[in-house]
């Protein structure tokens, strides 16, 4: 199946990046959000990021204008997805929100339209089962910032067809991403490996084994990680880290995934990392 028109639902951190890269790759994009303010902010962010690419001479001013011209916006979900070949849902990480969006989209789209979700932790199989087209539902897990990060985990739900997988894989490649095929289990690959490592680093802080800075130094200089796990946790948000650990713990049922009590305590105290000004490190808000 060939894709030319894409609807991206949710114009936040991930949605604006996905819309940017899809439009830059030649697709016509409708960016949809419940909030007009979020759409205006997303268009500003995309224009600013394209300006930076022009300054670096990675693209021309004409490329920038052509990319922006390929992006339409809408606050009307039904109208916004009606002519899309592929819908990429990047709305807030909440099962009920996503289920309700998938319900509307399933009724509003053509029978062949593929429904993808950028969820970090919700089961693709479970979302697919709420639609009438489980074979055309798939995960497309992009990474932040989308214009920079090359990886796209493509997650196959239990019923995802080979044709849907092949179409979405080709689409990710056209967007300049490196797709990796993943089966639908909690945390997929990225968070299944990353979050327990971050959780273990937090145990090291709790047990007084070393300071956050020294733990990060070990992983940067000893393992060549570009960023230490505690700096990364602050960047992701400690509330997001906790919620993904809960998904791993509940979904896999193994005590090795129990969230570190210090992680729980920091979230309870509102120390959420960069976004709250305080996590394992202090930030100027
Ligand atoms: N931020 C990351 O690093 C990251 C990385 C990979 C995947 N994800 C996933 O991407 C998705 C989006 O995350 P984000 O960080 O961009 O969130 P965000 O909070 O920045 O943006 C979410 C947007 O969704 C909109 N929204 C909420 N309900 C909606 C609805 N019913 N219809 C349309 N729009 C709606 C909100 O107004 C908001 O603009 C989540 O599923 C998240 O797990 C996030």
């Amino acid at each position: 199946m060939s894709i030319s028109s894409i609807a991206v639902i949710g114009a936040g951190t991930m949605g604006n990046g996905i819309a940017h890269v899809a439009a830059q790759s030649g697709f016509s994009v409708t960016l949809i959000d419940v909030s007009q303010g979020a759409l205006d902010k997303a268009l500003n962010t995309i224009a600013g990021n394209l300006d930076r690419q022009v300054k670096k001479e990675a693209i021309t001013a004409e490329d920038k204008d052509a990319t922006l011209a390929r992006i339409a916006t809408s606050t009307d979900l039904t109208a916004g997805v009606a002519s899309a070949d592929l819908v990429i849902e990047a709305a807030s990480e909440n099962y009920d929100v996503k289920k309700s969006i998938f319900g509307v989209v399933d009724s509003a789209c053509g029978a062949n339209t593929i429904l993808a979700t950028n969820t970090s932790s919700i089961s693709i199989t479970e979302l697919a089962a709420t639609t009438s087209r489980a074979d055309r539902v798939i995960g497309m897990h992009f990474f932040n910032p989308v214009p920079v990060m090359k990886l796209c985990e493509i997650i196959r739900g239990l019923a995802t067809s080979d044709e849907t997988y092949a179409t979405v894989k080709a689409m990710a490649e056209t967007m300049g991403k490196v797709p990796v095929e993943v089966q639908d289990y909690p945390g997929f690959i990225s968070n299944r490996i990353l979050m327990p490592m971050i959780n273990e680093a937090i145990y090291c802080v709790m047990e007084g084994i070393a300071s956050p800075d020294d733990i990060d130094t070990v992983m940067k200089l000893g393992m060549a990680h570009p960023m230490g796990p505690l700096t990364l946790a602050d960047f992701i948000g400690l509330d997001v880290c906790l919620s993904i650990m809960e998904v791993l713990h509940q979904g896999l049922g193994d005590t090795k995934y129990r969230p570190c009590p210090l992680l729980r305590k920091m979230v309870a105290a509102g120390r959420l990392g960069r976004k709250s000004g305080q996590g394992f490190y202090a930030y100027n808000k």
Side-chain angles (χ1 to χ4, degrees), residues 32-233:
I32 302 161
D33 203 289
V34 281
S35 151
Q36 184 60 48
L39 290 170
D40 295 342
K41 192 171 162 214
L43 282 182
N44 266 334
T45 303
I46 295 169
N49 289 339
L50 286 166
D51 274 336
R52 258 201 302 281
Q53 290 179 287
V54 172
K55 276 200 194 94
K56 283 191 201 154
E57 297 185 2
I59 61 170
T60 63
E62 292 73 38
D63 294 334
K64 175 197 159 186
D65 293 342
T67 298
L68 287 174
R70 280 193 282 270
I71 305 177
T73 60
S74 175
T75 52
D76 181 339
L77 181 57
T78 306
V81 299
S83 60
D85 303 313
L86 169 68
V87 174
I88 305 177
E89 175 277 313
S92 314
E93 185 74 346
N94 175 301
Y95 177 72
D96 291 330
V97 168
K98 291 190 191 293
K99 186 178 160 199
S100 133
I101 289 173
F102 268 60
V104 174
V105 172
D106 190 29
S107 320
C109 282
N112 289 326
T113 301
I114 293 175
L115 313 187
T117 172
N118 185 49
T119 181
S120 306
S121 61
I122 292 168
S123 162
I124 310 303
T125 305
E126 198 174 334
L127 267 180
T130 67
T131 73
S132 63
R133 60 180 88 203
D135 59 321
R136 289 192 184 77
V137 175
I138 196 161
M140 261 187 120
H141 189 209
F142 292 92
F143 289 76
N144 183 27
V146 181
V148 175
M149 300 293 277
K150 297 291 275 183
L151 178 64
C152 182
E153 282 185 302
I154 302 191
I155 302 111
R156 300 184 68 139
L158 198 56
T160 306
S161 70
D162 289 343
E163 191 195 352
T164 298
Y165 173 73
T167 302
V168 167
K169 176 176 184 266
M171 159 76 200
E173 284 167 345
T174 306
M175 287 173 74
K177 301 302 171 199
V178 176
V180 172
E181 181 176 2
V182 184
Q183 302 301 327
D184 182 27
Y185 287 100
F188 315 135
I189 294 297
S190 49
N191 284 321
R192 174 83 175 260
I193 296 173
L194 173 66
M195 285 302 162
M197 184 190 71
I198 286 176
N199 199 47
E200 202 58 33
I202 301 173
Y203 269 107
C204 291
V205 178
M206 188 179 81
E207 293 168 13
I209 298 174
S211 68
D213 199 33
D214 284 346
I215 292 166
D216 278 349
T217 299
V218 166
M219 298 307 285
K220 278 190 293 182
L221 301 188
M223 323 299 158
H225 288 199
M227 195 188 274
L230 299 166
T231 303
L232 182 55

